[in-house]
Amino acid sequence: RTLPEDWRSACRLILAQCDGCGSLWRLGKTKVFLKEPLEQQLETGRMEARNRAVVILQANLRGYQARASCRTLLHCLVVIQRTVRGYLWRRRFVRSRRAAVLLQRRWRLVLGLRAERREEEWREAERKVIDASNDESSCGVNFPERPSSPPSPPSPLSLAQPEWPEPPPPVW
């Protein structure tokens, strides 16, 4: 209900709701005269209204504090997730880099062994030619040209790069 603009009629309306017969109150020119039972009833109503308002304020404040605490906790969780994911990705990268270096080292070893074997075959073929020329029994044997250097190993960039899976989205 809305109160009238005139304060005197507003007071009459409120007091009439509390005491319909008007035996517990009187309006003076500037004051309202109340008997004790009506004054206690109005005071009780005022305290109840104040308590309801305080409860609503407390509920709003506690809700705000809980939301702020939840926001802070969520932010901390995201930071922890980010840190752990970074650590795991760095560890995975270091392992894959070690594996790539190991593969390159072994591949270079294989290429070196192949080159040594080829070199040894050439030396043996030259020895046979020299032995054969000393024997002069086999003349006119043509051997293919000897390569100047073994083939170079592949560059590290040409090795297949591992495909990384997409990280999962953060939990909100």
Side-chain angles (χ1 to χ4, degrees):
R1 278 176 126 170
T2 61
L3 293 176
E5 292 294 325
D6 180 22
W7 287 103
R8 193 170 183 87
S9 57
C11 285
R12 270 196 195 104
L13 183 64
I14 292 172
L15 292 171
Q17 286 178 354
C18 293
D19 178 38
C21 62
S23 63
L24 298 177
W25 57 273
R26 291 283 183 254
L27 279 179
K29 289 192 177 194
T30 58
K31 295 182 182 178
V32 177
F33 299 98
L34 303 173
K35 290 195 176 179
E36 189 64 28
L38 184 58
E39 184 180 347
Q40 286 178 358
Q41 181 184 356
L42 288 174
E43 188 63 28
T44 306
R46 186 181 71 85
M47 284 178 36
E48 288 174 0
R50 280 184 61 190
N51 286 342
R52 281 193 302 270
V54 166
V55 166
I56 289 171
L57 287 174
Q58 286 176 345
N60 287 334
L61 179 65
R62 288 178 183 147
Y64 172 77
Q65 288 174 338
R67 285 188 297 276
S69 149
C70 187
R71 247 190 321 268
T72 304
L73 182 64
L74 187 63
H75 176 72
C76 291
L77 285 174
V78 169
V79 168
I80 290 170
Q81 284 179 344
R82 181 177 60 210
T83 305
V84 168
R85 283 187 183 133
Y87 168 75
L88 292 176
W89 281 104
R90 282 189 297 278
R91 188 173 71 176
R92 188 177 293 163
F93 172 76
V94 167
R95 285 181 181 173
S96 66
R97 186 175 58 187
R98 283 183 190 156
V101 168
L102 179 66
L103 285 174
Q104 290 172 354
R105 185 172 56 212
R106 289 188 180 169
W107 180 246
R108 287 178 186 144
L109 177 67
V110 166
L111 290 180
L113 291 175
R114 284 182 187 171
E116 285 180 19
R117 193 179 316 128
R118 230 182 280 119
E119 189 70 29
E120 196 172 304
E121 288 173 359
W122 279 105
R123 282 190 196 127
E124 185 147 338
E126 283 177 350
R127 250 185 266 127
K128 285 182 182 178
V129 169
I130 291 173
D131 288 346
S133 66
N134 287 343
D135 291 345
E136 293 189 15
S137 61
S138 67
C139 34
V141 178
N142 292 327
F143 290 99
E145 277 192 41
R146 182 176 181 181
S148 60
S149 65
S152 62
S155 71
L157 298 176
S158 68
L159 294 176
Q161 295 293 326
E163 290 191 25
W164 300 103
E166 286 294 319
V171 177
W172 298 104

